[in-house]
Amino acid sequence: MRIITHTCPACGTVVAANQLEDSRVMKCPGLGCQEVVRFEDLPEDAREHFLENRDRYQI
Amino acid sequence: MKGVVLSGGTGSRLRPITHTGPKQLVPVANKPVLEYAIEDLKEAGITEIGVILGNKGRDEIQELFGDGSEYGVDITYIVQGNPLGLAHAAGCAKDFVGDDDFVMYLGDNILKSGVTELVKSFETGNYGAGIALQEVDDPQAFGIADVDNEGNVTELIEKPDEPPTNLALIGMYVFSPAVFDAIDELEPSWRGELEITDAIQDLLEDGYEIDSHIVTGWWKDTGKPQDILEANRLVLEDTELNTAGVVEDGAQTDGCIELADSSVIEDGAVVRGPVSIAENTTIKSGAYVGPYTSIGANSTLEDIHIENSVVIGDSEITTNGRIVDSLLGRNANVGSADELLPEGRRLVVGENSQLKL
Ligand SMILES: [Zn+2]
């Protein structure tokens, strides 16, 4: 199963795609980081792959 | 070599203690379980550490460890979110790990011998992975490895009816980056998780050699209250304990006692080690603290007889009774009902608590 992550450009915290997709837009979970991270920050192919296989990322 | 420490999971078997925080921060000998993992990695020379966070206790864990500099390591946080299995957790660390090998350490595990030998053993060959094993009495209850004469793993079997060996996988692994290709190919298991044992099995089938290292010292998975008490006992027995605080004249002490410098054992109190007492705690007259007990910070004990127990901290325990084999959560208070009518115990007990009265 392809595992997709996004790295916050401000603090380096890594966020899994399932977490990003859950909230779509979220404050970076890095403590004290004010950056906003979005599911849309992922490359298009990663987003498409995730959405096509969405069920498997909810197991 | 990098390190990846897993600290997700719900901690459901440690409720009510874990209603307010992650299980990896439950203290053993007054130190959060997760801290032992970080220290073990550092001791093995691994200072670049990814800490995998689940849904619970993210902020608490980040508050405690920060960027790792206080521990002499460099920590990157990796938010896994939902617990989709150990292989998913490892997969989330792919960008962090890059082309390095890495140790994966379950953050609620604690073991005497650390990870140094496991890493050394892995580095003697050209392995796809290395796994830590320990002999167990009930192999049917574990993931079991079969190994050849050279210590190379030949097969992994989850909870076998007819185990080929009694060598159980414990929560420590070393991986080459080849594991990420194996994880890419994985499908969720019957229980709906990406299983790390499946990834290792795939590495085997792809022709990689898998090293094994048998851990002989104690190892504890601290998932349940009983395990916390047991780990607390093992750590207290094995650790050098320093008495920095005040032991008043008239206090009786023997055995090894760790006493923080802001804490006091007062005249008339009895403490028999091994015991650990954290900061700003007072053991008052009439109290007895027996072996294998850890008392957390900002607590007061009076009149109570307590042994083989863990008091997490911020507690007042002032009743004239005996507490044994117990785990008391933060800010839990136990007073006396002697003067109260009608006669009887008074309890305010949280969800999922367990009492034996
Ligand atoms: Zn950030």
Side-chain angles (χ1 to χ4, degrees):
Chain A
M1 188 167 120
R2 180 174 166 193
I3 297 169
I4 301 160
T5 57
H6 172 65
T7 301
C8 168
C11 75
T13 296
V14 179
V15 187
N18 44 289
Q19 182 71 44
L20 286 174
E21 205 267 342
D22 262 2
S23 13
R24 286 279 159 171
V25 179
M26 64 190 282
K27 194 176 102 33
C28 169
L31 201 65
C33 180
Q34 300 305 320
E35 191 77 9
V36 171
V37 288
R38 299 174 177 82
F39 185 66
E40 278 66 38
D41 293 337
L42 294 170
E44 193 178 347
D45 74 302
R47 269 180 285 152
E48 266 171 24
H49 178 88
F50 185 92
L51 293 173
E52 275 163 23
N53 297 280
R54 200 169 173 279
D55 291 353
R56 301 166 74 222
Y57 293 96
Q58 311 294 323
I59 44 178
Chain B
M1 182 77 67
K2 287 180 177 151
V4 172
V5 179
L6 274 60
S7 54
T10 58
S12 58
R13 293 176 303 161
L14 265 171
R15 288 176 190 152
I17 304 297
T18 46
H19 282 317
T20 49
K23 61 178 171 175
Q24 293 82 6
L25 294 190
V26 174
V28 163
N30 280 318
K31 194 155 81 177
V33 174
L34 193 54
E35 216 173 301
Y36 291 93
I38 302 284
E39 287 179 355
D40 282 351
L41 289 171
K42 172 144 192 273
E43 199 181 292
I46 298 165
T47 55
E48 285 178 80
I49 300 174
V51 173
I52 311 267
L53 304 171
N55 285 323
K56 193 163 198 160
R58 286 179 194 169
D59 289 359
E60 289 97 326
I61 289 170
Q62 293 184 70
E63 264 160 32
L64 179 66
F65 293 104
D67 63 3
S69 52
E70 271 183 41
Y71 296 83
V73 297
D74 186 1
I75 292 179
T76 298
Y77 293 99
I78 299 165
V79 178
Q80 179 192 17
N82 290 334
L84 306 183
L86 296 187
H88 180 265
C92 289
K94 183 178 177 179
D95 288 347
F96 163 73
V97 167
D99 295 329
D100 285 314
D101 299 326
F102 66 104
V103 173
M104 186 162 105
Y105 196 132
L106 302 195
D108 55 353
N109 277 215
I110 181 164
L111 73 168
K112 181 185 169 82
S113 57
V115 298
T116 306
E117 295 301 318
L118 173 73
V119 170
K120 266 192 201 157
S121 179
F122 174 84
E123 286 177 337
T124 58
N126 187 20
Y127 296 108
I131 57 177
L133 300 172
Q134 187 165 59
E135 292 188 9
V136 294
D137 296 330
D138 49 346
Q140 290 87 352
F142 291 86
I144 294 295
D146 201 357
V147 296
D148 67 16
N149 292 335
E150 267 106 56
N152 288 339
V153 176
T154 55
E155 196 184 9
L156 296 175
I157 317 143
E158 194 55 39
K159 297 181 181 165
D161 293 329
E162 290 173 25
T165 69
N166 63 346
L167 298 170
L169 276 89
I170 66 176
M172 271 199 330
Y173 315 82
V174 197
F175 291 112
S176 71
V179 75
F180 295 118
D181 297 331
I183 292 169
D184 262 355
E185 301 301 317
L186 283 186
E187 292 297 323
S189 68
W190 60 271
R191 63 170 178 173
E193 291 188 11
L194 290 188
E195 308 286 350
I196 201 69
T197 43
D198 289 347
I200 300 169
Q201 188 69 41
D202 287 357
L203 285 174
L204 264 179
E205 283 161 19
D206 288 345
Y208 287 95
E209 289 196 335
I210 309 293
D211 182 37
S212 71
H213 170 68
I214 296 175
V215 172
T216 48
W218 54 261
W219 157 71
K220 228 40 234 169
D221 166 0
T222 58
K224 300 194 295 272
Q226 199 52 45
D227 301 323
I228 294 285
L229 298 181
E230 177 89 9
N232 186 62
R233 186 177 70 74
L234 292 164
V235 172
L236 286 178
E237 215 159 48
D238 265 5
T239 313
E240 211 173 288
L241 304 171
N242 296 318
T243 304
V246 176
V247 180
E248 290 186 358
D249 289 346
Q252 278 185 54
T253 59
D254 60 58
C256 295
I257 299 167
E258 179 172 62
L259 183 67
D261 59 4
S262 49
S263 294
V264 185
I265 301 173
E266 290 189 354
D267 178 10
V270 180
V271 179
R272 295 200 196 292
V275 159
S276 169
I277 299 168
E279 309 80 54
N280 300 315
T281 285
T282 307
I283 312 298
K284 288 182 170 275
S285 178
Y288 169 92
V289 181
Y292 310 117
T293 302
S294 293
I295 310 290
N298 310 314
S299 298
T300 304
L301 272 63
E302 189 170 8
D303 296 332
I304 191 71
H305 173 124
I306 186 167
E307 60 183 69
N308 199 46
S309 294
V310 171
V311 176
I312 292 181
D314 300 316
S315 281
E316 289 218 1
I317 305 176
T318 56
T319 187
N320 182 12
R322 289 171 67 96
I323 294 177
V324 299
D325 305 344
S326 296
L327 176 56
L328 275 77
R330 188 168 299 286
N331 215 3
N333 298 306
V334 186
S336 172
D338 282 354
E339 309 285 310
L340 301 177
L341 289 171
E343 216 174 274
R345 296 187 164 104
R346 310 291 200 276
L347 308 172
V348 179
V349 177
E351 278 175 53
N352 312 97
S353 295
Q354 299 167 49
L355 295 98
K356 290 198 167 69
L357 299 171

